[in-house]
């Protein structure tokens, strides 16, 4: 509710360390409230020169309950994001695909379509990172039929791609 969000905002404003700020941000971002927008911008501005902290900033948003594929795609347009940086790719893409099951495993298949796009893009830049992302769907056979079918289609799309690295193909 609004009073809880105001407490989180007050904590973020009064925090004298990054851990407290991140905890407050996590609560605000997970709520889906627009109240998180300014603190997120401020946090990025304060730590934009600290690569590991920026990675945490991306990850925090990727695993938030309201974050869906559309939101991840928007985050990928942020000037600090690049697929060429394996840590940055893991912070955003891996965090979303592995840490946000409610939004990744959706019946519309958008999470799996996103996954296959990213695997193929990463395959060209860094096959080892792409191969680690492939592991996200290792247990596809254990999911309910509607999801299993979509996962299998995404896996087949990747497997059928010409020029696939040995790491990803395996």
């Amino acid at each position: 509710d609004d009073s809880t969000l105001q407490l989180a905002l007050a904590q973020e404003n009064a925090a004298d360390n990054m851990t407290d700020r991140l905890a407050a941000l996590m609560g605000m971002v997970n709520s889906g409230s627009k109240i998180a927008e300014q603190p997120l911008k401020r946090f990025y501005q304060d730590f934009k020169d600290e690569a590991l902290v920026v990675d945490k900033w991306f990850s925090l948003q990727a695993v938030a309950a309201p974050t869906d594929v559309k939101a991840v795609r928007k985050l990928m347009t942020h000037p600090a994001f690049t697929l060429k940086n394996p840590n940055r790719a893991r912070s955003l893409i891996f965090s979303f695909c592995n840490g946000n099951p409610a939004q990744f495993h959706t019946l519309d298949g958008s999470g799996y379509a996103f996954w296959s796009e990213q695997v193929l893009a990463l395959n060209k830049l860094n096959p080892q990172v792409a191969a680690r992302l492939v592991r996200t769907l290792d247990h596809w056979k254990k999911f309910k039929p509607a999801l299993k079918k979509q996962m299998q289609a995404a896996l087949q799309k990747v497997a059928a791609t010409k020029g696939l690295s040995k790491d990803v193909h395996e």
Side-chain angles (χ1 to χ4, degrees):
D1 65 7
D2 193 49
S3 64
T4 305
L5 289 171
Q6 291 304 319
L7 284 172
L9 183 59
Q11 176 180 329
E12 194 274 336
N13 286 329
D16 61 0
N17 62 73
M18 186 182 60
T19 302
D20 285 348
R21 285 182 74 184
L22 275 173
L25 274 174
M26 189 177 301
M28 288 184 278
V29 171
N30 270 309
S31 75
S33 171
K34 293 206 180 280
I35 200 169
E37 290 176 4
Q38 282 307 110
L40 275 169
K41 287 178 184 175
R42 190 169 51 245
F43 187 90
Y44 175 76
Q45 286 302 314
D46 289 349
F47 295 102
K48 67 183 174 191
D49 296 326
E50 301 291 334
L52 293 176
V53 180
V54 173
D55 291 342
K56 279 186 138 343
W57 181 80
F58 277 113
S59 182
L60 165 82
Q61 294 173 81
V63 299
T67 301
D68 57 10
V69 171
K70 183 179 177 184
V72 174
R73 287 187 191 283
K74 183 176 179 187
L75 282 166
M76 289 175 74
T77 66
H78 190 279
F81 183 80
T82 176
L83 280 177
K84 293 178 182 177
N85 179 329
N87 291 332
R88 200 59 42 94
R90 277 195 302 268
S91 296
L92 183 55
I93 297 167
F94 283 60
S95 294
F96 174 72
C97 294
N98 293 298
N100 195 338
Q103 294 289 358
F104 177 65
H105 298 289
T106 56
L107 291 175
D108 69 359
S110 60
Y112 310 133
F114 173 78
W115 171 89
S116 63
E117 289 170 23
Q118 301 315 309
V119 167
L120 295 174
L122 285 165
N123 178 66
K124 294 174 184 173
L125 298 170
N126 192 327
Q128 292 80 21
V129 173
R132 281 185 237 130
L133 182 56
V134 168
R135 306 293 312 243
T136 301
L137 298 188
D138 271 358
H139 303 291
W140 67 273
K141 291 180 181 179
K142 295 182 179 184
F143 282 79
K144 59 185 175 181
L147 295 177
K148 186 186 326 186
K149 185 177 180 180
Q150 292 179 16
M151 287 180 186
Q152 185 178 22
L155 285 163
Q156 288 171 336
K157 176 183 178 179
V158 169
T161 301
K162 291 182 182 181
L164 204 58
S165 69
K166 290 191 308 187
D167 293 332
V168 172
H169 190 268
E170 182 184 315

